[in-house]
C-alpha cells in the first residue's frame, strides 16, 4: 500500500465559527493541522485584540473538551486574525502586534462574502492602517473580489487585482499580503509577477473542481463557495502553480461550515466544509497530476516560511486507501453539516 509521510501541515485559512460550532470544527481541524489561521468573520466580527484573545480562549476550551488524542490537543495552535473595518486604526495594529497572538489582518470588501457586511467600503482609504501593518510586519490577508453589482461574478477576482490589489502593492511595497483562496489563472499569474511579499493560498475545491461540477446536471449547493468555482482552464492553472514548487503558493483550506439546511436552500450560503478530509483531498489533486512529491512543501513548509514561523517537527502519514466521506456530521443544536464530497469515495486516507 502506497503511503506518504509529510511534515505536519498547517491550515493558513480556516473558519471555525464560534459557540457550539466549535465542538464540531475544532476536533476536525486538529486531526490534521497544527497551526490554523482562524478567520474573524464571526457575527459580530473579531475587530479588536481583546476579542481575538477571548475567541482564542473559546477555541482552546472546545479543544480541551474534544475527543482527540492528547498529542493532537497539545499540537493544535489557533492563530488569530483581526477583521479590518472602516474604523480600524493604526493604534489597533500596534496593539495587535504587541499581543503576540494576532497573526494577520483580514480585508473583506464590504458585501463580498459570508459575514462581510462590516467589511471595508473604501479600501484605498485605509492607507494609515496598511502603513502601520507594513511597519509592524503584520500581513494583510485579502478576500480579493470587487463587489459592484455591475461586475459579473466570474470577473470579480480579476477586477480586484487590477483595481485594488495592484494599487495597495504599489503604495505599500513592503506589506506582506496573502491573496486568499485564489480561483483564476489571472490571480495565479498576478501573484507570480510580484516579489516575495505577495503569496496566495489555494483551497482543495479550486484544485479539484470547476464550475461544471457546480452547475451541470443541476445546482450542487455544496460546491458553492466564494470566490465561485471558475472554468476548467483556471482550475488547471491553479493545479500547475500549486504543484510547481513555487513557495508563493500554499495550503489554505477555506473550510467554511454552514448547516446543511442553509446550503440546500433557495438562497444558499457560500462555503465548502472540508476540514476533516482536506489533506486527502489535496493528495488526490496532487496525485491526479503526478505531483505527490510537491505536496509536503505546499502543505507544510511554504506557509510557515511566509509567516516567518518554524516548520513543524511532527509528521502525518497518508495512505492510498479508499475511504467514504460521511454524509454529514452533527452540528449545532440538532442540525447537520454536509462535508465537501459527502458520500463519495476518496482514494487517500489519513493513517
Ligand atoms: C466563507 C465563509 O463561509 O465564511 N465562505 C466562502 O464561500 N469562502 C467566507 C470566505 O472565505 O469568503
Ligand atoms: Zn473569502
Ligand atoms: Zn474563507
Amino acid at each position: 500500500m502506497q503511503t506518504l509521510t509529510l511534515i505536519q501541515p498547517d491550515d493558513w485559512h480556516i473558519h471555525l465559527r464560534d459557540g457550539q460550532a466549535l465542538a464540531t470544527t475544532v476536533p476536525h481541524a486538529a486531526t490534521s493541522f497544527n497551526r490554523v489561521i482562524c478567520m474573524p468573520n464571526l457575527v459580530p466580527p473579531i475587530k479588536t485584540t481583546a476579542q481575538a484573545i477571548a475567541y482564542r480562549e473559546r477555541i482552546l476550551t472546545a479543544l480541551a473538551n474534544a475527543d482527540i488524542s492528547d498529542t493532537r490537543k497539545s499540537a493544535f495552535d489557533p492563530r488569530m486574525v483581526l477583521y479590518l473595518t472602516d474604523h480600524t486604526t493604526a493604534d489597533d495594529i500596534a496593539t495587535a502586534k504587541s499581543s503576540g497572538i494576532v497573526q494577520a489582518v483580514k480585508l473583506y470588501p464590504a458585501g463580498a462574502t459570508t459575514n462581510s457586511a462590516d467589511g471595508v467600503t473604501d479600501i484605498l482609504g485605509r492607507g494609515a492602517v496598511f502603513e502601520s501593518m507594513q511597519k509592524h510586519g503584520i500581513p494583510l490577508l485579502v478576500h480579493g473580489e470587487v463587489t459592484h453589482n455591475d461586475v459579473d461574478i466570474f470577473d470579480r477576482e480579476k477586477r480586484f487585482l487590477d483595481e485594488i490589489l495592484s494599487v495597495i502593492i504599489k503604495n505599500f511595497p513592503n506589506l506582506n499580503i496573502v491573496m486568499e483562496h485564489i480561483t483564476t489563472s489571472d490571480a495565479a499569474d498576478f501573484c507570480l509577477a510580484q516579489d516575495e511579499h505577495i503569496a496566495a493560498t489555494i483551497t482543495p475545491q479550486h484544485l479539484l473542481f470547476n464550475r461544471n461540477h457546480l452547475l451541470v446536471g443541476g445546482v450542487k449547493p455544496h460546491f458553492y463557495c466564494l470566490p465561485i468555482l471558475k472554468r476548467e482552464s483556471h482550475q488547471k492553472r491553479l493545479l500547475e502553480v500549486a504543484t510547481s514548487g513555487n513557495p508563493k503558493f500554499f495550503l489554505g483550506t477555506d473550510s467554511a461550515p454552514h448547516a446543511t439546511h442553509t446550503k440546500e436552500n433557495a438562497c444558499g450560503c457560500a462555503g465548502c466544509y472540508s476540514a476533516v478530509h482536506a489533506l486527502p483531498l489535496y493528495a488526490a489533486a496532487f496525485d491526479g497530476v503526478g505531483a505527490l512529491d510537491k505536496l509536503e512543501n505546499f502543505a507544510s513548509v511554504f506557509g510557515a516560511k511566509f509567516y516567518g514561523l518554524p516548520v513543524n517537527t511532527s509528521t502525518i502519514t497518508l495512505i492510498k486507501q479508499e475511504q467514504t466521506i460521511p454524509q454529514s456530521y452533527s452540528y449545532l443544536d440538532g442540525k447537520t453539516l454536509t462535508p465537501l464530497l459527502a458520500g463519495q469515495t476518496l482514494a487517500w486516507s489519513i493513517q
Side-chain angles (χ1 to χ4, degrees):
M1 192 81 65
Q2 191 182 354
T3 62
L4 181 65
T5 297
L6 305 173
I7 297 168
Q8 196 85 36
D10 305 299
D11 187 350
W12 303 103
H13 182 137
I14 194 168
H15 301 267
L16 296 175
R17 312 297 190 211
D18 203 354
Q20 281 184 35
L22 297 174
T24 305
T25 59
V26 169
H28 284 175
T31 301
S32 304
F33 301 108
N34 279 10
R35 290 160 297 207
V36 294
I37 290 264
C38 304
M39 288 294 146
N41 61 333
L42 307 182
V43 187
I46 300 297
K47 298 185 215 175
T48 66
T49 297
Q51 288 165 341
I53 291 170
Y55 180 33
R56 189 166 193 274
E57 284 306 314
R58 297 195 293 280
I59 294 169
L60 293 177
T61 301
L63 182 69
N65 296 331
D67 186 16
I68 55 172
S69 73
D70 288 341
T71 317
R72 292 310 310 142
K73 283 186 187 183
S74 60
F76 190 64
D77 180 6
R79 302 286 171 126
M80 310 318 289
V81 177
L82 292 193
Y83 184 115
L84 184 66
T85 74
D86 284 339
H87 310 288
T88 310
T89 64
D91 283 350
D92 291 335
I93 302 303
T95 307
K97 177 69 188 183
S98 62
S99 76
I101 68 125
V102 175
Q103 194 75 51
V105 171
K106 181 71 189 272
L107 165 62
Y108 293 99
T113 187
T114 303
N115 303 337
S116 62
D118 292 335
V120 180
T121 58
D122 175 20
I123 297 170
L124 299 177
R126 306 277 58 220
V129 176
F130 297 149
E131 183 78 55
S132 177
M133 291 169 62
Q134 182 173 251
K135 183 174 104 193
H136 291 292
I138 296 218
L140 178 69
L141 316 184
V142 296
H143 179 109
E145 288 190 288
V146 297
T147 56
H148 329 300
N149 274 330
D150 59 315
V151 181
D152 189 278
I153 187 169
F154 291 99
D155 299 335
R156 290 179 174 203
E157 184 173 88
K158 163 120 179 61
R159 289 281 293 267
F160 185 88
L161 307 173
D162 298 342
E163 293 167 21
I164 309 286
L165 191 56
S166 49
V167 182
I168 300 176
I169 292 172
K170 185 161 158 277
N171 293 346
F172 304 98
N174 295 317
L175 178 60
N176 288 327
I177 299 177
V178 183
M179 302 165 63
E180 297 294 335
H181 49 42
I182 60 168
T183 65
T184 57
S185 58
D186 309 279
D189 293 333
F190 181 97
C191 185
L192 280 171
Q194 312 303 318
D195 70 12
E196 74 284 0
H197 292 97
I198 314 299
T201 55
I202 309 183
T203 74
Q205 63 267 24
H206 291 102
L207 293 176
L208 286 168
F209 309 115
N210 60 62
R211 64 197 194 183
N212 276 12
H213 296 93
L214 171 69
L215 295 170
V216 172
V219 180
K220 319 283 191 329
H222 298 291
F223 285 126
Y224 175 56
C225 68
L226 290 171
I228 197 161
L229 292 171
K230 305 298 192 300
R231 62 168 65 243
E232 189 188 19
S233 55
H234 293 292
Q235 179 199 351
K236 287 197 161 143
R237 183 74 184 126
L238 295 176
L239 264 172
E240 264 171 32
V241 296
T243 60
S244 68
N246 189 313
K248 282 177 163 296
F249 302 97
F250 50 82
L251 183 155
T253 64
D254 192 21
S255 181
H258 292 272
T260 304
H261 71 284
T262 67
K263 287 195 66 69
E264 297 174 3
N265 187 291
C267 185
C269 293
C272 299
Y273 188 67
S274 63
V276 203
H277 302 99
L279 212 50
L281 287 165
Y282 281 114
F286 278 59
D287 200 8
V289 293
L292 277 175
D293 59 319
K294 299 290 197 293
L295 184 60
E296 181 174 60
N297 277 335
F298 174 85
S300 316
V301 177
F302 294 156
K305 292 249 160 85
F306 182 84
Y307 279 96
L309 296 169
V311 168
N312 294 319
T313 50
S314 60
T315 59
I316 189 168
T317 297
L318 296 174
I319 174 164
K320 195 157 188 181
Q321 177 174 288
E322 283 194 351
Q323 62 165 321
T324 304
I325 298 185
Q327 289 291 354
S328 67
Y329 302 103
S330 60
Y331 187 57
L332 304 176
D333 199 8
K335 311 271 190 327
T336 63
L337 176 58
T338 304
L340 187 63
L341 287 186
Q344 310 270 318
T345 305
L346 252 186
W348 285 87
S349 306
I350 295 170
Q351 195 172 51

PDB file of all heavy atoms in Angstrom, residues 289-307:
ATOM      1  N   VAL A 289      -2.156  14.810 -10.913  1.00  0.00           N
ATOM      2  CA  VAL A 289      -1.227  15.365 -11.909  1.00  0.00           C
ATOM      3  C   VAL A 289       0.205  14.845 -11.660  1.00  0.00           C
ATOM      4  O   VAL A 289       1.176  15.448 -12.112  1.00  0.00           O
ATOM      5  CB  VAL A 289      -1.251  16.916 -11.931  1.00  0.00           C
ATOM      6  CG1 VAL A 289      -2.605  17.418 -12.438  1.00  0.00           C
ATOM      7  CG2 VAL A 289      -0.944  17.515 -10.565  1.00  0.00           C
ATOM      8  N   GLY A 290       0.300  13.730 -10.938  1.00  0.00           N
ATOM      9  CA  GLY A 290       1.608  13.091 -10.739  1.00  0.00           C
ATOM     10  C   GLY A 290       2.584  13.939  -9.952  1.00  0.00           C
ATOM     11  O   GLY A 290       3.792  13.911 -10.209  1.00  0.00           O
ATOM     12  N   ALA A 291       2.086  14.689  -8.969  1.00  0.00           N
ATOM     13  CA  ALA A 291       2.958  15.635  -8.264  1.00  0.00           C
ATOM     14  C   ALA A 291       2.918  15.452  -6.747  1.00  0.00           C
ATOM     15  O   ALA A 291       3.069  16.419  -5.994  1.00  0.00           O
ATOM     16  CB  ALA A 291       2.560  17.062  -8.626  1.00  0.00           C
ATOM     17  N   LEU A 292       2.734  14.210  -6.305  1.00  0.00           N
ATOM     18  CA  LEU A 292       2.676  13.984  -4.854  1.00  0.00           C
ATOM     19  C   LEU A 292       3.944  14.463  -4.141  1.00  0.00           C
ATOM     20  O   LEU A 292       3.893  14.857  -2.975  1.00  0.00           O
ATOM     21  CB  LEU A 292       2.487  12.488  -4.574  1.00  0.00           C
ATOM     22  CG  LEU A 292       1.054  11.976  -4.642  1.00  0.00           C
ATOM     23  CD1 LEU A 292       1.051  10.470  -4.466  1.00  0.00           C
ATOM     24  CD2 LEU A 292       0.163  12.650  -3.610  1.00  0.00           C
ATOM     25  N   ASP A 293       5.059  14.434  -4.864  1.00  0.00           N
ATOM     26  CA  ASP A 293       6.327  14.870  -4.253  1.00  0.00           C
ATOM     27  C   ASP A 293       6.323  16.366  -3.945  1.00  0.00           C
ATOM     28  O   ASP A 293       7.179  16.845  -3.203  1.00  0.00           O
ATOM     29  CB  ASP A 293       7.510  14.522  -5.166  1.00  0.00           C
ATOM     30  CG  ASP A 293       7.382  15.179  -6.532  1.00  0.00           C
ATOM     31  OD1 ASP A 293       6.258  15.204  -7.092  1.00  0.00           O
ATOM     32  OD2 ASP A 293       8.401  15.687  -7.044  1.00  0.00           O
ATOM     33  N   LYS A 294       5.372  17.102  -4.481  1.00  0.00           N
ATOM     34  CA  LYS A 294       5.303  18.544  -4.238  1.00  0.00           C
ATOM     35  C   LYS A 294       4.344  18.894  -3.092  1.00  0.00           C
ATOM     36  O   LYS A 294       4.229  20.045  -2.698  1.00  0.00           O
ATOM     37  CB  LYS A 294       4.844  19.280  -5.500  1.00  0.00           C
ATOM     38  CG  LYS A 294       5.785  19.114  -6.696  1.00  0.00           C
ATOM     39  CD  LYS A 294       7.083  19.875  -6.444  1.00  0.00           C
ATOM     40  CE  LYS A 294       7.901  20.132  -7.700  1.00  0.00           C
ATOM     41  NZ  LYS A 294       8.453  18.908  -8.301  1.00  0.00           N
ATOM     42  N   LEU A 295       3.654  17.875  -2.561  1.00  0.00           N
ATOM     43  CA  LEU A 295       2.610  18.166  -1.566  1.00  0.00           C
ATOM     44  C   LEU A 295       3.179  18.667  -0.239  1.00  0.00           C
ATOM     45  O   LEU A 295       2.622  19.581   0.374  1.00  0.00           O
ATOM     46  CB  LEU A 295       1.746  16.908  -1.336  1.00  0.00           C
ATOM     47  CG  LEU A 295       0.557  17.083  -0.390  1.00  0.00           C
ATOM     48  CD1 LEU A 295      -0.410  18.146  -0.898  1.00  0.00           C
ATOM     49  CD2 LEU A 295      -0.188  15.757  -0.203  1.00  0.00           C
ATOM     50  N   GLU A 296       4.287  18.100   0.203  1.00  0.00           N
ATOM     51  CA  GLU A 296       4.786  18.456   1.528  1.00  0.00           C
ATOM     52  C   GLU A 296       5.146  19.944   1.630  1.00  0.00           C
ATOM     53  O   GLU A 296       4.774  20.614   2.588  1.00  0.00           O
ATOM     54  CB  GLU A 296       5.999  17.602   1.885  1.00  0.00           C
ATOM     55  CG  GLU A 296       6.537  17.921   3.284  1.00  0.00           C
ATOM     56  CD  GLU A 296       7.640  16.969   3.701  1.00  0.00           C
ATOM     57  OE1 GLU A 296       8.680  16.924   3.000  1.00  0.00           O
ATOM     58  OE2 GLU A 296       7.461  16.255   4.704  1.00  0.00           O
ATOM     59  N   ASN A 297       5.854  20.457   0.656  1.00  0.00           N
ATOM     60  CA  ASN A 297       6.207  21.872   0.715  1.00  0.00           C
ATOM     61  C   ASN A 297       4.965  22.760   0.683  1.00  0.00           C
ATOM     62  O   ASN A 297       4.861  23.742   1.409  1.00  0.00           O
ATOM     63  CB  ASN A 297       7.136  22.246  -0.447  1.00  0.00           C
ATOM     64  CG  ASN A 297       8.583  21.905  -0.138  1.00  0.00           C
ATOM     65  OD1 ASN A 297       8.973  21.840   1.015  1.00  0.00           O
ATOM     66  ND2 ASN A 297       9.365  21.676  -1.182  1.00  0.00           N
ATOM     67  N   PHE A 298       4.020  22.404  -0.184  1.00  0.00           N
ATOM     68  CA  PHE A 298       2.790  23.184  -0.308  1.00  0.00           C
ATOM     69  C   PHE A 298       1.997  23.165   1.001  1.00  0.00           C
ATOM     70  O   PHE A 298       1.495  24.186   1.468  1.00  0.00           O
ATOM     71  CB  PHE A 298       1.941  22.604  -1.452  1.00  0.00           C
ATOM     72  CG  PHE A 298       0.579  23.222  -1.611  1.00  0.00           C
ATOM     73  CD1 PHE A 298       0.409  24.387  -2.348  1.00  0.00           C
ATOM     74  CD2 PHE A 298      -0.552  22.629  -1.042  1.00  0.00           C
ATOM     75  CE1 PHE A 298      -0.851  24.960  -2.508  1.00  0.00           C
ATOM     76  CE2 PHE A 298      -1.813  23.193  -1.193  1.00  0.00           C
ATOM     77  CZ  PHE A 298      -1.963  24.358  -1.923  1.00  0.00           C
ATOM     78  N   ALA A 299       1.897  21.976   1.607  1.00  0.00           N
ATOM     79  CA  ALA A 299       1.033  21.817   2.777  1.00  0.00           C
ATOM     80  C   ALA A 299       1.718  22.193   4.089  1.00  0.00           C
ATOM     81  O   ALA A 299       1.056  22.604   5.036  1.00  0.00           O
ATOM     82  CB  ALA A 299       0.548  20.363   2.852  1.00  0.00           C
ATOM     83  N   SER A 300       3.030  22.058   4.144  1.00  0.00           N
ATOM     84  CA  SER A 300       3.673  22.087   5.458  1.00  0.00           C
ATOM     85  C   SER A 300       4.888  22.990   5.587  1.00  0.00           C
ATOM     86  O   SER A 300       5.393  23.155   6.689  1.00  0.00           O
ATOM     87  CB  SER A 300       4.105  20.655   5.841  1.00  0.00           C
ATOM     88  OG  SER A 300       3.096  19.731   5.550  1.00  0.00           O
ATOM     89  N   VAL A 301       5.364  23.540   4.503  1.00  0.00           N
ATOM     90  CA  VAL A 301       6.609  24.309   4.573  1.00  0.00           C
ATOM     91  C   VAL A 301       6.434  25.766   4.116  1.00  0.00           C
ATOM     92  O   VAL A 301       6.784  26.704   4.844  1.00  0.00           O
ATOM     93  CB  VAL A 301       7.732  23.630   3.743  1.00  0.00           C
ATOM     94  CG1 VAL A 301       9.003  24.470   3.752  1.00  0.00           C
ATOM     95  CG2 VAL A 301       8.007  22.221   4.277  1.00  0.00           C
ATOM     96  N   PHE A 302       5.870  25.952   2.931  1.00  0.00           N
ATOM     97  CA  PHE A 302       5.865  27.292   2.336  1.00  0.00           C
ATOM     98  C   PHE A 302       5.060  28.307   3.162  1.00  0.00           C
ATOM     99  O   PHE A 302       5.446  29.467   3.270  1.00  0.00           O
ATOM    100  CB  PHE A 302       5.330  27.246   0.903  1.00  0.00           C
ATOM    101  CG  PHE A 302       6.214  26.497  -0.067  1.00  0.00           C
ATOM    102  CD1 PHE A 302       5.669  25.944  -1.226  1.00  0.00           C
ATOM    103  CD2 PHE A 302       7.575  26.347   0.159  1.00  0.00           C
ATOM    104  CE1 PHE A 302       6.476  25.255  -2.137  1.00  0.00           C
ATOM    105  CE2 PHE A 302       8.392  25.659  -0.738  1.00  0.00           C
ATOM    106  CZ  PHE A 302       7.829  25.110  -1.898  1.00  0.00           C
ATOM    107  N   GLY A 303       3.954  27.876   3.753  1.00  0.00           N
ATOM    108  CA  GLY A 303       3.136  28.800   4.547  1.00  0.00           C
ATOM    109  C   GLY A 303       3.886  29.266   5.786  1.00  0.00           C
ATOM    110  O   GLY A 303       3.939  30.465   6.096  1.00  0.00           O
ATOM    111  N   ALA A 304       4.487  28.309   6.485  1.00  0.00           N
ATOM    112  CA  ALA A 304       5.253  28.658   7.689  1.00  0.00           C
ATOM    113  C   ALA A 304       6.367  29.636   7.345  1.00  0.00           C
ATOM    114  O   ALA A 304       6.582  30.636   8.042  1.00  0.00           O
ATOM    115  CB  ALA A 304       5.826  27.388   8.318  1.00  0.00           C
ATOM    116  N   LYS A 305       7.057  29.380   6.251  1.00  0.00           N
ATOM    117  CA  LYS A 305       8.151  30.266   5.834  1.00  0.00           C
ATOM    118  C   LYS A 305       7.629  31.664   5.555  1.00  0.00           C
ATOM    119  O   LYS A 305       8.232  32.665   5.967  1.00  0.00           O
ATOM    120  CB  LYS A 305       8.841  29.705   4.580  1.00  0.00           C
ATOM    121  CG  LYS A 305       9.598  28.408   4.848  1.00  0.00           C
ATOM    122  CD  LYS A 305      11.118  28.617   4.757  1.00  0.00           C
ATOM    123  CE  LYS A 305      11.901  27.522   5.461  1.00  0.00           C
ATOM    124  NZ  LYS A 305      12.136  26.332   4.654  1.00  0.00           N
ATOM    125  N   PHE A 306       6.497  31.753   4.847  1.00  0.00           N
ATOM    126  CA  PHE A 306       5.951  33.076   4.521  1.00  0.00           C
ATOM    127  C   PHE A 306       5.637  33.843   5.803  1.00  0.00           C
ATOM    128  O   PHE A 306       5.897  35.041   5.902  1.00  0.00           O
ATOM    129  CB  PHE A 306       4.686  32.953   3.655  1.00  0.00           C
ATOM    130  CG  PHE A 306       4.120  34.294   3.271  1.00  0.00           C
ATOM    131  CD1 PHE A 306       4.619  34.982   2.170  1.00  0.00           C
ATOM    132  CD2 PHE A 306       3.120  34.893   4.027  1.00  0.00           C
ATOM    133  CE1 PHE A 306       4.134  36.246   1.827  1.00  0.00           C
ATOM    134  CE2 PHE A 306       2.630  36.150   3.692  1.00  0.00           C
ATOM    135  CZ  PHE A 306       3.139  36.826   2.587  1.00  0.00           C
ATOM    136  N   TYR A 307       5.070  33.155   6.788  1.00  0.00           N
ATOM    137  CA  TYR A 307       4.701  33.813   8.042  1.00  0.00           C
ATOM    138  C   TYR A 307       5.889  33.955   8.996  1.00  0.00           C
ATOM    139  O   TYR A 307       5.735  34.459  10.104  1.00  0.00           O
ATOM    140  CB  TYR A 307       3.570  33.044   8.732  1.00  0.00           C
ATOM    141  CG  TYR A 307       2.189  33.371   8.167  1.00  0.00           C
ATOM    142  CD1 TYR A 307       1.598  32.579   7.195  1.00  0.00           C
ATOM    143  CD2 TYR A 307       1.477  34.484   8.613  1.00  0.00           C
ATOM    144  CE1 TYR A 307       0.335  32.876   6.682  1.00  0.00           C
ATOM    145  CE2 TYR A 307       0.218  34.787   8.111  1.00  0.00           C
ATOM    146  CZ  TYR A 307      -0.347  33.984   7.147  1.00  0.00           C
ATOM    147  OH  TYR A 307      -1.584  34.285   6.648  1.00  0.00           O
TER     148      TYR A 307
END
